[in-house]
Amino acid sequence: MRAVVPGSFDPITRGHLDIIARARGVFSQVVVAVGRNTTKNYLFDPDERLALVRAAVADMPGVDVEPIDALLVDFCRDRGVSVVVKGVRFGSDFDYELQMSQLNRMLSGIETVLLPAGHEYGTISSSMLREVAANHGDISPFVPPTVYAAVRRKIGY
Ligand code: PNS
């Protein structure tokens, strides 16, 4: 069975990669869908986020990466996928994901499977890492080397 793991991935972190790898442990194939939330401001543009995700999962068998150009539910329907997987770190993630999953199920009948975030990666978020990087802090423990290099290049430190 195939599953879609959607997200903004601005940028992709080791926490995201853990969720993708564990989703792949449950489902035979995983499509990582790089989308956008129109209420968010991004550091990386869609093509950059897509390229960083592609590089980060290049050595994971059974994992593909594609951009979401419209609604997530339409992306899933066009590919015949009926399950979405999202990672959950803490209560506020759950509140947000519950709302989104109910909306997506009402829009198309798609099911959402929530995976608890691994303790190894704690509660790190892309937005906190962007904040640390904006102040020239070391985010290398939390992201793959290609992402670290891209963030430093983008911010200029
Ligand atoms: O990492 P994020 O920001 O939680 O990812 C959000 C994302 C990209 C998965 C979500 O915004 C999304 O699915 N965007 C595509 C457009 C869509 O379907 N929006 C309605 C979802 S309620």
Side-chain angles (χ1 to χ4, degrees):
M1 193 175 196
R2 286 198 301 160
V4 166
V5 178
S8 299
F9 305 110
D10 185 46
I12 188 161
T13 66
R14 292 195 193 280
H16 291 131
L17 287 167
D18 180 54
I19 294 293
I20 293 165
R22 286 165 54 211
R24 175 61 186 83
V26 178
F27 296 94
S28 57
Q29 211 197 345
V30 163
V31 182
V32 181
V34 182
R36 82 188 252 277
N37 177 333
T38 51
T39 65
K40 286 188 180 173
N41 289 320
Y42 289 112
L43 175 64
F44 290 99
D45 68 35
D47 288 344
E48 292 171 324
R49 288 185 279 121
L50 189 67
L52 289 173
V53 175
R54 286 213 163 111
V57 304
D59 61 352
M60 289 188 186
V63 177
D64 298 318
V65 184
E66 291 183 51
I68 309 178
D69 295 322
L71 279 179
L72 173 63
V73 293
D74 293 337
F75 176 94
C76 293
R77 191 206 48 223
D78 292 349
R79 287 155 187 80
V81 178
S82 55
V83 181
V84 165
V85 176
K86 298 267 328 225
V88 182
R89 291 162 298 188
F90 32 60
S92 61
D93 272 358
F94 177 77
D95 293 351
Y96 173 69
E97 296 302 340
L98 179 66
Q99 265 190 308
M100 197 135 73
S101 69
Q102 288 177 344
L103 179 61
N104 284 335
R105 195 159 76 93
M106 283 191 284
L107 286 171
S108 77
I110 203 149
E111 291 290 4
T112 299
V113 170
L114 299 179
L115 273 187
H119 65 90
E120 301 87 338
Y121 304 101
T123 55
I124 57 164
S125 67
S126 296
S127 60
M128 271 187 196
L129 295 185
R130 290 196 302 273
E131 178 65 14
V132 173
N135 291 289
H136 301 183
D138 180 9
I139 62 164
S140 62
F142 308 109
V143 294
T146 37
V147 170
Y148 184 48
V151 169
R152 291 189 63 141
R153 235 183 354 259
K154 175 69 88 179
I155 289 173
Y157 72 107

